[in-house]
Amino acid sequence: MTEQILTSARAALAAAPPTGDPAYTRYCHELAARLADHWPTVLKANADDVAQAEQRGLPPVLLDRLRLTDAHLDQLRRLTEAVLGELPAVTGPGEAVPVAGWGVRRRAPKPLGVVFMVYEARPTVTVEGALLPVAVGNAVLLRGGKEIARTNAALAGVAREALEAAGLPAELVTVLDDPDRAQLRALLKRPDAIDVLVPRGSPSLIDHCRSASSIPVIASGGGVNHVYVHRSADLALAAEVALDSKLPEPTACNTAELMLVDADVAAAFVAEVTAAAERDDRPVTIRLDRRVPRPEGAGEDRPWRIAELQEHDFGREFLDATIGVCPVDGLDEAVAHIRRHGSAHTEGVLAEDPAVAEEFTRRVDAAAIVVNGSLRLHDGPTLGLGSEISISTGRMHVRGPVTLGALVTHSWVVEAHGTLRSSVPARQS
């Protein structure tokens, strides 16, 4: 079965038109139209997945990751429109550059090849995976979690219809429906047939894919993110940043897990957080280091609650409406903590002192460093970089938002006009 899947995907890649062909524009239109047409069927399948997950006892925050609504359809429509707008710049011919009077060079976009995406419980990722890689000419294998099996089966039918309507090979998108991890292990051992691996999810999933495969990886996820609050920071802003960096989407990879706060302002910072939570009735759990005084009113009927921050909370994603607060003795200790426990995804600093902010950005290494703002700003569309399929924490090929431009490679096209190498003067390297 694995061999058949890989053979079909590579055959589809070979049969597909070149990157930039009008068929890919048609596919984007068809995918959006068929999602709208089949959305009631997709929602019914999704309701079955959610009901089964509820029976298995999944917590509400994880159920929310599984659940689709009409708002998700609107979101996916906007994504499709954005991709259509971005395609010409990504897939168009590169600028022709003269070479030493004898020729011209330019770059021509080419697909990465067969892209294998492994992810967990977000069904919107299935649509993103069927859209972005394929729109620039790749074939894609999509393996989501068993929790969304019915939803993925319905979305697979939508993608197949859209491909056929656009005149593209139907096997450019393959949604894997075998929950057996043996299939995953077999695919991870096929660098001869799979060109790029994109794991998206928990640190354990990403670590497994990295260690079990020699396929080149665009790694995303692992959002153990911190915000350092310097004593010069505007504490009211710091409180808003803390809540905005966590509460709207507690399980996202660009949320804050731990606030590292200069010890002499830690109590005042916590007071600002609790006041902001009360003001807008935003439920939040604050895991508080025992060295920080408890705020007044703890334990009463408030939208916030206090829990104790433990050693094992360092380097952990809470995956709910929880944020930790740990006092530090200045920038050096904050940086040391981030180097030890961070996942190099998104880190932030809040400081009115520009020298502190500059030193933080110089010493901290992450895919994005946010100065005086929410960590959730680390997002391709928000940063004006374009539609993204994930956020990469790796160091090669792409770091940060994985946009359409990161899903293609290039060939150098050299117009030589009959030039021979022996006629070109040697240059010092």
Side-chain angles (χ1 to χ4, degrees), residues 271-290:
E272 290 284 357
V273 173
T274 57
E278 284 188 33
R279 185 168 55 249
D280 298 319
D281 194 27
R282 290 179 279 184
V284 63
T285 296
I286 303 169
R287 288 189 174 267
L288 194 56
D289 186 284
R290 66 183 64 186

Side-chain angles (χ1 to χ4, degrees), residues 126-195:
T126 305
V127 180
E128 294 166 7
L131 174 61
L132 273 75
V134 176
V136 291
N138 298 288
V140 66
L141 308 177
L142 302 172
R143 188 186 191 277
K146 62 184 178 182
E147 300 87 354
I148 53 173
R150 295 175 180 84
T151 310
N152 275 351
L155 292 172
V158 173
R160 177 173 287 270
E161 277 193 23
L163 287 164
E164 292 174 343
L168 291 168
E171 288 75 18
L172 282 179
V173 176
T174 302
V175 178
L176 305 175
D177 57 7
D178 186 349
D180 192 341
R181 291 183 70 86
Q183 184 187 65
L184 173 60
R185 289 193 294 271
L187 289 169
L188 291 177
K189 294 177 180 177
R190 294 300 303 273
D192 60 309
I194 297 173
D195 298 287

Side-chain angles (χ1 to χ4, degrees), residues 53-417:
E54 285 178 319
Q55 292 174 3
R56 291 175 49 216
L58 262 67
V61 68
L62 294 183
L63 290 175
D64 285 343
R65 296 176 72 181
L66 301 181
R67 187 176 287 111
L68 289 176
T69 67
D70 286 341
H72 289 105
L73 177 59
D74 292 337
Q75 171 191 327
L76 294 171
R77 279 173 169 162
R78 290 194 298 272
L79 175 64
T80 306
E81 291 170 1
V83 168
L84 281 166
E86 295 159 17
L87 277 176
V90 174
T91 63
E95 179 186 2
V97 178
V99 182
W102 59 260
V104 174
R105 71 169 188 263
R106 61 182 173 85
R107 296 208 308 172
K110 306 285 182 175
L112 295 177
V114 174
V115 178
F116 182 23
M117 284 190 62
V118 185
Y119 52 103
E120 291 169 330
R122 292 183 186 272
T124 51
V125 177
T126 305
V127 180
E128 294 166 7
L131 174 61
L132 273 75
V134 176
V136 291
N138 298 288
V140 66
L141 308 177
L142 302 172
R143 188 186 191 277
K146 62 184 178 182
E147 300 87 354
I148 53 173
R150 295 175 180 84
T151 310
N152 275 351
L155 292 172
V158 173
R160 177 173 287 270
E161 277 193 23
L163 287 164
E164 292 174 343
L168 291 168
E171 288 75 18
L172 282 179
V173 176
T174 302
V175 178
L176 305 175
D177 57 7
D178 186 349
D180 192 341
R181 291 183 70 86
Q183 184 187 65
L184 173 60
R185 289 193 294 271
L187 289 169
L188 291 177
K189 294 177 180 177
R190 294 300 303 273
D192 60 309
I194 297 173
D195 298 287
V196 181
L197 175 60
V198 184
R200 179 171 167 176
S202 66
S204 60
L205 171 67
I206 294 164
D207 288 345
H208 173 72
C209 289
R210 276 177 162 155
S211 61
S213 180
S214 61
I215 300 169
V217 176
I218 299 176
S220 60
V224 181
N225 308 319
H226 308 79
V227 179
Y228 170 51
V229 183
H230 184 253
R231 60 181 54 85
S232 70
D234 178 334
L235 296 185
L237 171 63
E240 289 299 330
V241 166
L243 296 177
D244 185 76
S245 296
K246 167 57 73 169
L247 299 185
E249 197 173 357
T251 62
C253 60
N254 59 356
T255 61
E257 304 301 333
L258 189 64
M259 307 296 293
L260 300 168
V261 188
D262 276 347
D264 54 349
V265 297
F269 166 74
V270 172
E272 290 284 357
V273 173
T274 57
E278 284 188 33
R279 185 168 55 249
D280 298 319
D281 194 27
R282 290 179 279 184
V284 63
T285 296
I286 303 169
R287 288 189 174 267
L288 194 56
D289 186 284
R290 66 183 64 186
R291 293 170 292 175
V292 181
R294 269 42 183 171
E296 295 182 5
E300 299 177 11
D301 185 19
R302 305 289 177 89
W304 51 270
R305 60 181 291 269
I306 300 296
E308 187 165 323
L309 185 71
Q310 305 282 350
E311 182 76 22
H312 67 258
D313 291 325
F314 297 155
R316 170 187 173 193
E317 288 184 90
F318 294 119
L319 299 177
D320 60 19
T322 296
I323 194 162
V325 177
C326 179
V328 292
D329 185 18
L331 176 66
D332 289 346
E333 187 176 341
V335 170
H337 184 104
I338 291 168
R339 287 177 176 173
R340 181 177 179 186
H341 298 288
S343 58
H345 193 292
T346 311
E347 303 292 349
V349 57
L350 293 160
E352 300 254 316
D353 185 338
V356 171
E358 176 62 27
E359 184 70 1
F360 184 91
T361 61
R362 192 178 69 84
R363 294 171 59 186
V364 169
D365 185 20
I369 300 169
V370 181
V371 179
N372 292 324
S374 171
L375 298 195
R376 294 174 56 243
L377 295 171
H378 186 196
D379 168 84
T382 304
L383 292 175
L385 299 173
S387 306
E388 70 178 33
I389 198 165
S390 64
I391 293 176
S392 171
T393 56
R395 295 178 178 277
M396 303 297 290
H397 176 61
V398 59
R399 198 179 200 200
V402 182
T403 58
L404 286 177
L407 296 173
V408 295
T409 185
H410 295 86
S411 294
W412 283 109
V413 177
V414 181
E415 299 287 353
H417 307 307

Side-chain angles (χ1 to χ4, degrees), residues 27-47:
Y27 170 64
C28 293
H29 287 296
E30 295 290 348
L31 183 61
R34 278 161 172 71
L35 275 172
D37 291 345
H38 294 290
W39 198 245
T41 302
V42 172
L43 288 183
K44 183 178 184 307
N46 182 252

